[in-house]
Structure formats: C-alpha cells, structure tokens
Amino acid sequence: VGFLKLKRSCRHFLIRDSRQLQVQKIYVLPNAANMGIGSSLMRLGEESVRALAPISAWLMVYEGNHRAVSFYERLGYCPIGRDNHDFEAIRVGFTVMKKDYGA
C-alpha cells in the first residue's frame, strides 16, 4: 500500500552538513490515505538508516503543496528554502525541507 525510497550520501546545495540523506520518494495508495501509513513508512525508514549516522535528512515538495508540507512538519522537517527544476520550457518550483539528527 506504500513505498519509500531513501538515498544516502545525496547532497543538496542548501545544506552544509557532511552526511545527508535524501527522502527521494514516498507514495501511499489513495485508498490507504489518512491511515498513518505514510508516517509509519517515514519512521521505519529513518530507523533503518540510523546506522549510517546521517546528520540531516532533506526532501523537496512541490511548491504550494501545503498538505505535504504540513505532513513533513509533523514529522520534524522544516522548510529551509526553494529549488527549481527545469523540464524543457517548464520551470517547476519546490520547497526544500530538512530534519536535523545532530552531529
């Protein structure tokens, strides 16, 4: 019903931490939404990478997706800036969010 992809050693230019982890993808089937599955996936993912000792995790959310930003904020992520990706003639804006684990 859900899928989470984490990528270790993936750095973002807005973050200076040496050991970063990217939350690259998270999906939950629509008929399983609002059942806590996304939160559970994120917690299990974070627990599974603790041995890698990341200093921070980061992710990008489509700009204006307030529901997703709220979801990640409840999990301890904070907006830290913006990034853009260009797809041919289209520029897509993203909010970059970060969660600190400590050094």
Side-chain angles (χ1 to χ4, degrees):
V1 297
F3 172 81
L4 173 67
K5 180 180 180 185
L6 304 174
K7 187 173 182 182
R8 69 179 185 171
S9 303
C10 189
R11 300 191 61 161
H12 194 281
F13 70 90
L14 290 175
I15 302 170
R16 302 213 186 281
D17 301 334
S18 59
R19 295 186 316 271
Q20 300 177 24
L21 172 75
Q22 181 189 13
V23 178
Q24 208 168 44
K25 296 177 178 22
I26 182 169
Y27 302 108
V28 175
L29 291 175
N31 62 347
N34 300 312
M35 296 172 60
I37 294 168
S39 299
S40 293
L41 281 172
M42 290 290 287
R43 278 193 294 277
L44 287 169
E46 289 176 341
E47 287 175 17
S48 71
V49 297
R50 254 187 240 292
L52 302 174
I55 293 174
S56 61
W58 64 274
L59 53 88
M60 296 195 312
V61 178
Y62 288 117
E63 213 166 60
N65 187 344
H66 305 293
R67 184 173 174 210
V69 169
S70 293
F71 168 76
Y72 292 118
E73 286 178 331
R74 286 191 304 274
L75 296 172
Y77 287 80
C78 297
I80 61 164
R82 296 182 66 247
D83 197 355
N84 296 308
H85 284 248
D86 295 324
F87 302 97
E88 297 185 15
I90 300 170
R91 174 162 277 189
V92 179
F94 293 90
T95 299
V96 180
M97 301 184 75
K98 176 184 172 194
K99 180 176 182 176
D100 291 319
Y101 294 108

